[in-house]
Amino acid sequence: MSLAGDVAMAAVFLVLVGLLAARMYGEPLELVGQVTVNDGDTITIAGQRIRLWGIDAPELSQTCRGEGGDYACGRRARDALRELVAGRPVSCTWREHDRYGRLLGICRAGDVDLNARLVEEGWVVAFGGYAHEERQAREARRGLWAGEFDRPRDWRETHGGMAEAEHFGPGLMSALLEWLRIF
């Protein structure tokens, strides 16, 4: 490659890093209020639907297999989120929308990070974030991990539903965000 080509590649790389930094460090917006829990990874605050970033919950009609047989794991994931919220106000920070128009947010009820706690309890799977929490839940056989289940994305694909949009864009960005979260 020529010197001009190297310089052009470096310039493109610097622009991409700048855009990534602006996206990551842009001022997050916040919504606070009472919530309606729609399912295991989506809530509504003041009419705004918020998809919890970095996680994926079983669909409401999805079933999983546990020690006692099949159970409605999608409803159980929704109930786990309801229990965590327990009527308390929730605050969510977000920077963007997913392709379905929902806000992608990290939400808290008091001092509880709802996204992380749902993964830690094993009722949702990591999806662009929270790999460490998923590993702990899997090793402890909590929630979904106590039995057998299809990952929600796989279940949607085999049951005619659309797979969820990647959170925060391409896999590289999600991996970078996860790496930064660890440190």
Side-chain angles (χ1 to χ4, degrees):
M1 192 175 252
S2 70
L3 179 60
D6 289 343
V7 169
M9 289 264 287
V12 167
F13 176 75
L14 290 173
V15 167
L16 289 174
V17 168
L19 289 172
L20 178 62
R23 190 173 194 181
M24 287 173 52
Y25 297 109
E27 186 64 31
L29 302 173
E30 184 175 27
L31 275 174
V32 179
Q34 295 297 322
V35 303
T36 300
V37 174
N38 305 90
D39 58 29
D41 57 17
T42 308
I43 61 174
T44 301
I45 299 177
Q48 288 288 324
R49 288 178 58 92
I50 301 169
R51 172 74 160 79
L52 301 181
W53 177 86
I55 68 174
D56 195 14
E59 294 300 316
L60 286 175
S61 59
Q62 185 172 343
T63 58
C64 300
R65 181 169 299 278
E67 233 178 69
D70 290 350
Y71 68 100
C73 55
R75 293 182 190 279
R76 181 61 188 101
R78 180 198 57 202
D79 293 345
L81 181 52
R82 282 181 176 160
E83 290 167 15
L84 290 173
V85 170
R88 297 181 291 172
V90 171
S91 66
C92 297
T93 57
W94 61 279
R95 287 190 171 92
E96 66 180 311
H97 293 80
D98 69 8
R99 70 179 180 189
Y100 303 109
R102 298 173 298 191
L103 304 176
L104 287 173
I106 297 174
C107 300
R108 303 180 73 77
D111 62 350
V112 176
D113 177 332
L114 299 174
N115 306 43
R117 183 65 61 85
L118 287 165
V119 178
E120 289 168 355
E121 291 181 358
W123 293 115
V124 302
V125 297
F127 191 74
Y130 306 103
H132 175 74
E133 290 84 351
E134 180 179 291
R135 190 171 31 260
Q136 290 178 327
R138 190 173 49 244
E139 289 170 0
R141 301 192 50 79
R142 288 191 292 263
L144 301 169
W145 302 103
E148 297 176 21
F149 68 98
D150 292 329
R151 284 192 173 262
R153 182 178 205 167
D154 296 337
W155 189 90
R156 283 189 296 273
E157 287 176 3
T158 61
H159 289 81
M162 297 175 63
E164 292 286 347
E166 287 290 330
H167 301 182
F168 287 95
L172 174 62
M173 186 169 211
S174 292
L176 181 57
L177 286 171
E178 178 68 11
W179 181 80
L180 289 171
R181 196 174 76 73
I182 291 169
F183 293 98

